[in-house]
Amino acid sequence: MEDKKVLYSAIQPTNNLTIGNYVGAIKNWLNLQENYDCYFSIANMHAITVRQNPAELRQKTLALLALYIACGIDPEKCCLYVQSHVPAHAELCWVLNTFTYVGEMERMTQFKDKSLRHAENINMGLMDYPVLMAADILLYQAQYVPVGEDQRQHLEIARDIAQRFNNALTPTFTVPEGLFMKVGAKINDLQDPSKKMSKSAENPNGSIFLTDDRDTIIRKFKRAVTDSGSEIKYDPMSKPGVSNLLSIYSVFADKSIAEAESEFNGVGYGDFKLAVGETVADRLAPVQAEQAKLLADKEYLNTVLKKGAERAMKTAGRTLSKVYKKIGFYQI
């Protein structure tokens, strides 16, 4: 049997995931797990670069694992684990720090953005975030990393660090490639369609969270921004609000944009927004029910995490041992 290529991806267990995260990441993972040797991490070490409530972080870590599985990510097909359960992430990060330049980190867009948003807590972890991300990827010799445009810079720095190490101390790391997924729909904020829907948006009414109940989902869609005129057609430049709602509907109703336009031809904005809200709520209901069922079985979730950590540690340990040998650490 031909060996599958290794793929790595991670999501932080902070805030609640939106339908944008679902469409942009988790939905794609369902196909990827069939064709790649996947390592899917819950990135709690990245999460603490911004102050977290410890009890909430623990709760959200388990909730995210349950959500992964509820959405169809199969722990028998891929490695699901919590980042902090594998000490090699922090250990390799320290080594890679010595192959990373301060100027590179200061130029990172995310560091500059987060420094503005969290001016009271510009910590070294915030600056070092891309090096930890590089360690995440390189530990598993991942050939592919599914990324969106906003993560391109992080992948490039991981590639630079890997090549720098390989050139200095003989080939050690696989230099990862970006897997730029074909985006079925870009999900934007319901209150400001010029921005991507975010799990950390200032106005929660602009985001549909995967944990929102049916009434909340429908209320948010009823309040969604539309555009002048009354025609329901896909035109992101002149009708960004309606186009965003059509994109969302097409994904959750499994229809093309053209089919959605035809379906709502002559329908008023009010009825259109209600239909989109009901469709999204209907699709999320079974996922939410399954997540709740999984969270009630903590023993099962812990078993998944233990198995995942054991598998991840085995792979990561091989890479770390090789790195330690290359840099001259005496090992016993």
Side-chain angles (χ1 to χ4, degrees):
M1 192 174 100
E2 186 184 349
D3 287 341
K4 290 181 178 179
K5 294 191 182 301
V6 178
L7 179 143
Y8 180 89
S9 195
I11 296 177
Q12 290 187 47
T14 52
N15 300 318
N16 293 316
L17 298 191
T18 70
I19 56 172
N21 299 123
Y22 172 74
V23 172
I26 296 176
K27 198 164 182 280
N28 288 325
W29 289 5
L30 299 181
N31 295 323
L32 295 174
Q33 71 180 346
E34 303 297 334
N35 302 308
Y36 295 89
D37 183 10
C38 296
Y39 289 82
F40 293 138
S41 170
I42 296 171
N44 60 342
M45 292 168 68
H46 284 287
I48 62 168
T49 56
V50 175
R51 289 284 176 264
Q52 302 293 332
N53 176 301
E56 282 184 11
L57 182 59
R58 282 189 288 270
Q59 180 267 323
K60 286 179 178 177
T61 297
L62 215 53
L64 182 54
L65 173 67
L67 183 66
Y68 280 177
I69 300 170
C71 286
I73 306 300
D74 187 346
E76 297 299 319
K77 292 180 180 176
C78 49
C79 182
L80 293 179
Y81 73 100
V82 173
Q83 189 183 25
S84 66
H85 291 172
V86 184
H89 284 264
E91 294 175 80
L92 181 59
C93 180
W94 178 253
V95 175
L96 297 184
N97 276 328
T98 67
F99 289 82
T100 308
Y101 305 127
V102 173
E104 289 176 312
M105 296 297 96
E106 289 176 332
R107 289 193 294 272
M108 296 298 288
T109 303
Q110 190 185 59
F111 173 67
K112 290 189 276 193
D113 290 348
K114 284 201 170 182
S115 295
L116 288 173
R117 292 210 308 271
H118 303 280
E120 76 293 345
N121 182 28
I122 305 174
N123 58 72
M124 283 307 300
L126 208 57
M127 179 180 278
D128 209 31
Y129 190 106
V131 187
L132 178 58
M133 187 178 282
D136 297 340
I137 299 163
L138 301 180
L139 269 177
Y140 301 97
Q141 303 292 352
Q143 284 116 320
Y144 293 105
V145 182
V147 285
E149 280 300 319
D150 55 342
Q151 290 294 325
R152 188 186 285 268
Q153 195 181 28
H154 281 127
L155 178 64
E156 286 305 316
I157 204 74
R159 287 171 53 83
D160 289 346
I161 294 168
Q163 288 166 335
R164 199 172 292 152
F165 189 101
N166 288 349
N167 291 338
L169 296 168
T170 73
T172 306
F173 296 118
T174 299
V175 179
E177 301 277 340
L179 199 64
F180 293 91
M181 306 303 295
K182 184 182 177 186
V183 180
K186 185 182 177 187
I187 308 296
N188 289 334
D189 190 283
L190 297 183
Q191 294 299 313
D192 184 356
S194 67
K195 294 178 182 174
K196 188 172 83 166
M197 187 177 286
S198 169
K199 60 180 186 168
S200 55
E202 288 181 17
N203 184 354
N205 288 316
S207 298
I208 302 295
F209 300 106
L210 298 184
T211 52
D212 282 345
D213 61 37
R214 184 179 188 83
D215 289 346
T216 302
I217 292 170
I218 291 172
R219 187 186 75 246
K220 286 182 179 179
F221 274 108
K222 281 182 175 178
R223 294 177 178 174
V225 169
T226 46
D227 313 288
S228 58
S230 58
E231 193 179 4
I232 296 172
K233 68 173 184 175
Y234 189 79
D235 184 349
M237 293 302 292
S238 64
K239 297 180 83 70
V242 167
S243 298
N244 185 40
L245 292 171
L246 279 169
S247 292
I248 294 169
Y249 182 78
S250 73
V251 170
F252 285 88
D254 290 324
K255 295 182 179 179
S256 68
I257 294 288
E259 286 172 330
E261 284 179 323
S262 175
E263 183 178 342
F264 293 108
N265 183 32
V267 174
Y269 281 167
D271 289 339
F272 169 52
K273 291 193 285 187
L274 176 61
V276 179
E278 288 178 337
T279 300
V280 171
D282 287 345
R283 285 295 292 269
L284 292 185
V287 172
Q288 293 171 341
E290 182 62 19
Q291 184 190 28
K293 182 179 163 189
L294 288 163
L295 283 170
D297 191 354
K298 193 173 178 182
E299 187 178 343
Y300 167 71
L301 294 177
N302 283 340
T303 299
V304 169
L305 289 180
K306 282 175 186 171
K307 284 183 180 175
E310 285 167 7
R311 181 180 162 192
M313 280 194 280
K314 191 174 178 181
T315 306
R318 283 198 298 267
T319 298
L320 190 66
S321 180
K322 195 185 298 183
V323 168
Y324 277 6
K325 185 178 180 182
K326 294 283 181 77
I327 60 174
F329 282 178
Y330 181 77
Q331 298 179 79
I332 52 173

